[in-house]
Structures are given as structure tokens and as C-alpha cells.
Amino acid sequence: MWDKKKLLTIDELSRKDIELILETSGILEPHASKGKLQLCRGEILANVFFEPSTRTEKSFQAAMHRLGGDVIMHKDPGSSREKGESKLDTLRVLEQYSDIMAVRDPETYSLQQYAETLALPIINAGDGSNEHPTQALLDLYTVLKEKGSMENLSIVFTGDLKFGRTVHSLIKALRKFPGNRFFGISPETLELPVDLKGGDYEEILFEDMYGIRPDIVYATRIQKERMVSWAGEKFSYEINNDVLRKLPSTARIMHPLPRVNELNPEIDSDPRVIPFKQVKYGMVVRMALLALMLGHEKELPSQGLSN
Ligand code: NCD
């Protein structure tokens, strides 16, 4: 059972825990734009980003505001970290001012270490190339809304499956539901880490994707910032109108964003292409996490799913 004191990896969540988070998201979604919720009134989120972010940072901020709470932001540069203060000391300071913390760090597994010292609830907003559990939860919410189920799906992942933390967390999360099959399309040097491969996972070529008739194509960018050098510009798994024509009408194209050249903007108007829905649901799912981890489950509004 998830103790709701930390969310560092999808491994902490059972299928039931995930269902609770998604149900809570469904309850909060109709309220997400009205600015009327006061569930977290008087509470403060410390939103700490030791690595660049747009969606995760802003959606955590918006989520806390939509719940009636407040946010203190920490971003480097611009702090005493430039004077040599350690990340852990910085977090221990911010802990004195806040009730819950979201942390993004370029170092893999660092959040586990921080959580051992800090007493407040802590959420992993991305730790290096390891995991990005809140992205996986918003991806699952998107899949559920779009496909009506999180079971028996064929999901194709393209791009950087080695360093792409969103892929790692999403595969772990989808494995909690029966019948899902995974297909990876990547340069050989950027294959999925061995410990995440399994009997339900197959490496394929881009052209093989059409025969699979996937439910979801989840495209990702090459994480150049996590490599010493990258000379693989020849690899392009661009999804454009030609590719889209060969995919089923029931398929959905997802991407955690930012996109570089994986999704040609010419496909943006196709209803199967849904990265900006993921963005929208990201705030809703983060609202649910904040509300649950701050102990407001009993005060949720009474409305159910909005679809
Ligand atoms: C992703 C991340 O930070 O891992 N972005 C996000 O949070 N939506 C994906 C990426 O940076 O490629």
C-alpha cells in the first residue's frame, strides 16, 4: 500500500494506488479551470528544479494554485547554490517553509537519498535518466480517457529509450495492467535498459510498426544533454502525414514534449495526435497527487468523471 509520503518511482504504486490517483484526477478535472477549490488553502508546495522544465514545473505550480494553495519556486541559477550550497542543504532549507515538495534533479536516484533526510512528502519530478512517475500517471490518465482502458494495448515507443525517463516510468506503470504489449524503435545505442526489457517487450524497426496496428505510438526526443556526444543525427523517427496515413484510425500519437523533430507540426490537426491533451491532463493529475499526499481525500468534491 502506498503510504502517500513520497512518490519517487512507479514501483511504489500498486494497480489500486494508480486507480485511486486516476479516479481522483477524474473527480478534480471538472474543477480544474474554475479556481474555486480550497482543498490546499494555507499549504505551500516547494517546487524545486535543479534541471530545466516547462510543463512539469508550471503544471505543478498551476495545480497547487487551482487547489487554493501557494507555491515557492526554486530554480538554479539565481540561488545560494551559486555560493556553493549543496542540493541537500537547499532542500532542508526549503523544507522549513513548505508542506510538500516536488524535486527535479539531473542525478539518477538522488531523490531516494533526499527523501531519507527530509520529513515532508516528496515527489519525483524527474531524476536524471531514471524515472518521471508523475509523467507516467498523466500519460495513463490520457490513455484511459482516449482508449477507455489501460489493458490489452499495443504500445510502440520511439526515440531514446535508454535515457528517456518518461518511457521507463510509463512501461513500469502499464505493466501493472494485464495484456499490454510493448514495442521499441530506437537506435541500437539507445535501446531500453536491460532491466526494463521482458517477455512483453520486442525491438522492432520503424516500418514494422504498421503491421502491429498499435493503439498508442509514444514518441520521444533524443536526450542529447545526457550524453557525452551524439553523432546519430541520421536517426529520425519522424511522424508525419505519410506515417499517420498508415496507422489505424483508432491509434493515438503521444509525446511527453518537448518535441524536436519527432512529430511534424503538419500532423497537429489530426485528432489522433494528442500531446497537448497530455499537457492539459498533467495539471489535473498533479492536482490529484497533491490533494492525496496532503491528506485531503475525504474533502474531495462529489462530482465523478467528466467524460
Ligand atoms: C520530459 C522530461 O523532462 O523527461 N519532459 C516532460 O517532463 N514532459 C521529456 C523530455 O525532456 O524529453
Side-chain angles (χ1 to χ4, degrees):
M1 250 299 265
W2 180 41
D3 63 6
K4 304 192 185 76
K5 294 275 183 289
K6 55 183 172 41
L7 178 56
L8 306 185
T9 160
I10 289 292
D11 298 335
E12 286 159 4
L13 303 177
S14 67
R15 175 185 174 146
K16 275 212 146 25
D17 297 324
I18 292 178
E19 283 166 349
L20 170 71
I21 294 164
L22 302 192
E23 269 161 35
T24 308
S25 307
I27 291 169
L28 291 173
E29 190 186 334
H31 303 273
S33 58
K34 294 182 189 153
K36 284 186 186 153
L37 291 177
Q38 295 295 330
L39 282 179
C40 295
R41 196 188 172 135
E43 287 173 313
I44 294 179
L45 162 73
N47 211 22
V48 186
F49 284 76
F50 295 128
E51 191 185 81
S53 173
T54 299
R55 277 146 291 273
T56 309
E57 177 198 317
K58 270 71 182 183
S59 64
F60 262 118
Q61 222 170 337
M64 194 55 173
H65 286 308
R66 294 285 189 207
L67 291 166
D70 294 300
V71 182
I72 47 175
M73 262 314 300
H74 176 96
K75 266 181 115 154
D76 291 336
S79 77
S80 287
R81 293 254 306 122
E82 283 164 72
K83 303 176 192 167
E85 189 158 42
S86 70
K87 287 185 208 162
L88 186 57
D89 275 2
T90 304
L91 297 176
R92 291 181 69 184
V93 169
L94 295 170
E95 180 180 30
Q96 310 306 316
Y97 311 142
S98 54
D99 304 287
I100 189 166
M101 195 177 265
V103 183
R104 171 169 287 189
D105 195 298
E107 270 174 68
T108 305
Y109 302 116
S110 55
L111 272 279
Q112 316 279 351
Q113 258 170 275
Y114 304 148
E116 279 166 26
T117 305
L118 302 170
L120 85 178
I122 176 165
I123 304 174
N124 181 355
D127 63 331
S129 59
N130 180 36
E131 275 214 48
H132 194 346
T134 66
Q135 177 73 39
L137 291 165
L138 78 87
D139 289 337
L140 278 191
Y141 188 68
T142 309
V143 169
L144 182 60
K145 298 275 286 191
E146 289 288 311
K147 302 293 296 180
S149 168
M150 294 180 285
E151 301 178 2
N152 301 315
L153 301 171
S154 296
I155 303 110
V156 170
F157 291 95
T158 71
D160 185 345
L161 312 186
K162 179 177 181 185
F163 295 108
R165 57 194 173 196
T166 65
V167 172
H168 304 165
S169 288
L170 184 54
I171 289 187
K172 283 184 174 190
L174 282 164
R175 281 201 171 121
K176 312 258 176 191
F177 298 86
N180 292 321
R181 292 189 311 141
F182 309 105
F183 302 89
I185 300 173
S186 71
E188 214 178 311
T189 51
L190 299 178
E191 282 179 8
L192 193 73
V194 180
D195 58 319
L196 284 171
K197 290 184 185 177
D200 54 4
Y201 182 82
E202 204 183 316
E203 260 136 27
I204 59 165
L205 298 173
F206 195 80
E207 308 80 74
D208 299 334
M209 172 164 75
Y210 308 117
I212 286 162
R213 301 187 53 78
D215 295 291
I216 306 283
V217 179
Y218 192 96
T220 64
R221 72 182 172 91
I222 304 292
Q223 308 271 309
K224 286 185 199 166
E225 72 273 29
R226 306 204 191 283
M227 304 171 200
V228 182
S229 67
W230 168 248
E233 260 69 17
K234 65 182 159 91
F235 293 106
S236 165
Y237 304 117
E238 187 192 67
I239 302 179
N240 52 29
N241 277 336
D242 282 342
V243 174
L244 215 49
R245 245 191 298 280
K246 293 184 245 170
L247 289 170
S249 61
T250 51
R252 293 292 180 274
I253 315 302
M254 296 174 65
H255 193 305
L257 301 178
R259 64 176 152 183
V260 182
N261 51 13
E262 307 81 38
L263 305 185
N264 189 315
E266 72 182 17
I267 66 171
D268 283 6
S269 56
D270 190 304
R272 291 175 288 174
V273 180
I274 56 171
F276 290 94
K277 285 193 181 174
Q278 292 168 259
V279 170
K280 177 175 139 202
Y281 296 146
M283 182 184 74
V284 174
V285 171
R286 288 176 177 124
M287 285 173 73
L289 283 169
L290 292 169
L292 289 171
M293 293 179 76
L294 285 165
H296 299 301
E297 200 175 336
K298 302 243 156 56
E299 306 142 52
L300 292 170
S302 50
Q303 279 102 315
L305 272 170
S306 64
N307 57 1

